[in-house]
Amino acid sequence: MPKDFKCLYCDRYFSSRQAYAQHVNRTHYDINDTSLDDKDFNRINRFEEMQTGWEESLPSITNENEEYEDQNMPPASHEYEDVLENTDVVSNFSKNYDINQTSQSNFDQSDRFEESNMEDYYSFEQVSPDRFEESNIEDYDNFEQVSPDRFEESNIEDYDNFEQVSSEREENVMEFPNEAYADLMELFIKHNLNNKTGNAIIKFFDKHSNLSTSPLPKNIEAGRKLMDIMNVQKLPYSKHCILNYKNKEYFVYYRPIKSCIENLLSNPDIIKNFIYKYQFLQSDGETLYSEQYSGNWWKNAEASIRPEAHILSIILYSDATTTDSLGKSSLHPIYISLGNIRTWRRNKEDAKQLLGYLPILSANNEGQTSRFKRLARETFHNSLKFLLDPLFDEDGIDFKINNKNIWFFPRISTVIGDWPEACTFSLTFKSANSNYPCHFCQTHRNDLTSIRKDCIIIRNKENMQEYYNNGSAESIGLEQVYNYFWTIPNIDIYAATVPDRMHHLDLGLFRYQIEYTKELLGKSLEDKMNRRIAIIPRHPGLKIFAKGVQSIARLTASEFRDLMKVMVFVVDNLLNKDLSEVYVRWNRMYLMSRFERFTESDLENFQIAINEWADLFITLFWDCSSGMKMPKLHSWIYHIVDAIRDFGAINGYTTETYESLHKTYVKIPYRLSNKKDVEMQIMKNIRRRAMILRNQVKETKTPRALTYTAKLFIINFSNITELCNQQKNNPNINETMRKGFKEFQNCLYEYLSELKKSFTEGSLIKIFGSVTLKNGAILRATNKFHGRPWFSNIAVAMNNEELSKYQSDKGICYAQTLLITEVNVPNESPFHLVLVQWYDYRFDQNSDLYDCPLLKLVEWYNFIEIEAIEDIVHMVPRFDETNEYFVNKYLF
């Protein structure tokens, strides 16, 4: 199980070392003082967040050491050889049973799914017909729309007491027969093993154990059936027929929404980061927007309920996704989360719940008629009505938190999804070519990028319902279908379908910018651009495109984000200054979009950054686009700042952390099914997984500073001259390392003489390939890392005495690592050192280019203490120039 990285200074944890390092640098910069040593780090108190007085009376969890697992599931393995590499559960067998084992190794599942770019998926053969032109409409018969009135009363009353699908539910099985049985099923479920592999494990155990009666099931199928009849609260699932059309029934496969919410509220780690009340925040006298509870929507919703009650903010996310690599079949999952959970915690997978799978209508031979499209929209909203109606009781709902009943009024705050999904919720036309393509406002397509802000007419429930009642909805780009969300309190569905940064920017506007750039450059310069991309230096967390950008259509959102970080350097002097400038402006805007908090001044500056980029983008690429009639461009320019004021910072409603749910709840379970009655098999699989994972504690670790790895040399002081002479002329090592050995001896003597230290008999010198810094980042100086040399570039904080001597970047100077060294002198603490070659500014004045320092390497070498290193930095050589380097300031 991969471990998250636990912050040393606060309760947050991160899925990658790079994210952890950025958090420490950004949030705990003052704590990260260069004067701290290892003992100081151990004495630092954990950050505890103070709650207001009224919150102290609310239930809370005091066990701060309890963490829960971010349930990223590896894909299934289909080979027995892959299975016999395990640590977790097989080791438990050996603790409780005498097993004669000849070998023991680790289970390792390394398959990975490729993320599909689902933005343009949604062809209505599977989901929706709205991308098709209307054809001659023929009357359609032979279908029965299941009226929502049929379940408004009777079904809702019995919602929590519905009959489970499993006919074996009558048995009251509460737990596994024994610990070994439970461990086996945990191994099987957690690692997505198939029946053949699971049965092989059982056979192996039975063969090599000394037990007369096996504690394990006869086969894996028997274990699965036992789990299916176990009576575990909060994990029910069922199905409901929502439509009978042409002799085919369409079902909503679902979990009761109250059960989903109860699951979230039963997680102690979530409750530690749970907010109950609106908070008006200020910074330097300005209104501050950060979490959702600081936005105007929460303020207005809370004002509409009883003061002693609390808002329960419901966040919906849905997106149709393919189940296989060929895209021949698909499912339409819908998930929920709670806006009461702080953003960083809500972005973990266990803070989201699968609500169910929505039906996907099949047109078959009927074709995409207007009436069929309307039927599909009605079915979608009737399905939502069935799933969500149990929440909206006039008197609110009591939910138990820490054994206390808390009075909530559930309200839907935001709906997250790509553009077609947002149009499905708002019932606006999906086509970008429709006359009114924006689901936020009533702007004509010809005015999308030229209209004045004060001339925009916003869509809302009142004016859209008036068009619907008059039968003229289509004249304003609205489907003539009744919108379920018009009946729900405290939601404006047109504002709630917030702009999603991943689909608007990463997979949308930035993708267009890359495509238009290639078109401007032409074939010859495009090839040069790809060659530059291929030789960008490596950096932790940054993907290197070894063959350039071959196919834009196949890039994932993560890969587009990696391109953002380097494209400004790639296009430098490639065509003209405007091409470089449009990427500079893009990065300014994009980095601001990732702010965790915005003051009103920040929002003004953000709007200015958006406008400056958009103006140049439109001017530069006008001929590449048909008049820039792009709804995403329009909504980003005109509507994103309003969304921040209503719902808080953009990080709280982006699909970046939701897309991975498709692997957990669609793709992996689909692979494990027999492809028949898929939804029900997947629901069972997910229920079993929840049973296994619900009581597991999240494994975390905090990176420990000065942890050395990859020992290269260990020598006595008397042999230092011999080693340096051998290695500085060694043709088998990298030139950078040879340079280090050439300077090593003199620089080490100079360093020790400044400290008035000297080598004595028994002094040892160790040279390593890598070491962990105080912020968790890994510093490397190795001749070969995965087949290529890697010598990290670093930022070093200069003391006040040195600042006057050098030109610095706000007190920071830069250097390249040559050798990582630990010097052990008898009766002294070890010296943790790194030999570096320094960079200096390329010019004496105006040394920044594209908002990044422009440097050159100079012949100046010395040892510095590892504790003085602030962070790893990314240096990008300036193409077609000699000894010029950019400090990449666009890493996020």
Side-chain angles (χ1 to χ4, degrees), residues 242 758 773 856:
I242 205 74
S758 60
L773 302 182
K856 61 182 179 181

Side-chain angles (χ1 to χ4, degrees), residues 572-573 849-850 854 876-882 884-886:
D572 172 43
N573 288 333
L849 183 61
Y850 310 137
L854 183 62
V876 182
R878 191 175 187 188
F879 296 104
D880 299 335
E881 301 291 343
T882 302
E884 292 189 12
Y885 302 87
F886 291 104

Side-chain angles (χ1 to χ4, degrees), residues 611-623:
N611 294 342
E612 288 179 347
W613 166 79
D615 290 344
L616 184 55
F617 176 85
I618 293 170
T619 301
L620 186 61
F621 299 121
W622 181 267
D623 293 335

Side-chain angles (χ1 to χ4, degrees), residues 193-254:
L193 306 181
N194 57 19
N195 287 354
K196 182 178 179 181
T197 303
N199 292 334
I201 294 174
I202 294 174
K203 184 177 179 180
F204 174 83
F205 177 87
D206 291 342
K207 179 179 179 180
H208 295 285
S209 67
N210 294 325
L211 302 174
S212 57
T213 302
S214 174
L216 305 183
K218 183 178 180 181
N219 52 49
I220 284 296
E221 182 64 26
R224 283 211 305 255
K225 288 182 178 179
L226 176 68
M227 295 186 73
D228 290 341
I229 65 172
M230 288 175 69
N231 186 10
V232 180
Q233 293 183 351
K234 303 190 189 78
L235 295 177
Y237 61 92
S238 190
K239 66 178 181 179
H240 174 80
C241 180
I242 205 74
L243 175 68
N244 191 318
Y245 175 52
K246 289 193 173 181
N247 298 321
K248 181 178 179 179
E249 293 183 321
Y250 290 90
F251 292 92
V252 177
Y253 294 83
Y254 70 99

Side-chain angles (χ1 to χ4, degrees), residues 9-103:
Y9 314 110
C10 68
D11 289 335
R12 293 183 64 171
Y13 47 91
F14 302 85
S15 58
S16 70
R17 184 183 294 271
Q18 182 72 5
Y20 171 81
Q22 290 182 356
H23 164 76
V24 171
N25 290 336
R26 181 175 62 247
T27 309
H28 305 295
Y29 182 83
D30 293 336
I31 295 175
N32 235 354
D33 191 89
T34 57
S35 65
L36 298 180
D37 58 20
D38 284 346
K39 294 181 181 179
D40 292 320
F41 281 112
N42 293 330
R43 290 196 298 268
I44 293 176
N45 293 324
R46 295 179 56 171
F47 172 81
E48 294 183 354
E49 199 165 37
M50 301 301 295
Q51 301 290 338
T52 57
W54 62 264
E55 279 187 306
E56 292 177 355
S57 62
L58 294 171
S60 62
I61 302 300
T62 57
N63 181 4
E64 297 183 359
N65 295 322
E66 192 167 8
E67 304 290 348
Y68 279 74
E69 181 181 1
D70 189 2
Q71 304 165 7
N72 290 322
M73 304 191 303
S77 170
H78 300 285
E79 298 295 333
Y80 179 59
E81 289 78 11
D82 291 338
V83 175
L84 293 182
E85 295 184 39
N86 182 291
T87 57
D88 292 344
V89 182
V90 170
S91 62
N92 289 336
F93 290 168
S94 62
K95 292 178 184 177
N96 298 292
Y97 299 94
D98 182 15
I99 304 176
N100 298 323
Q101 298 183 6
T102 57
S103 64

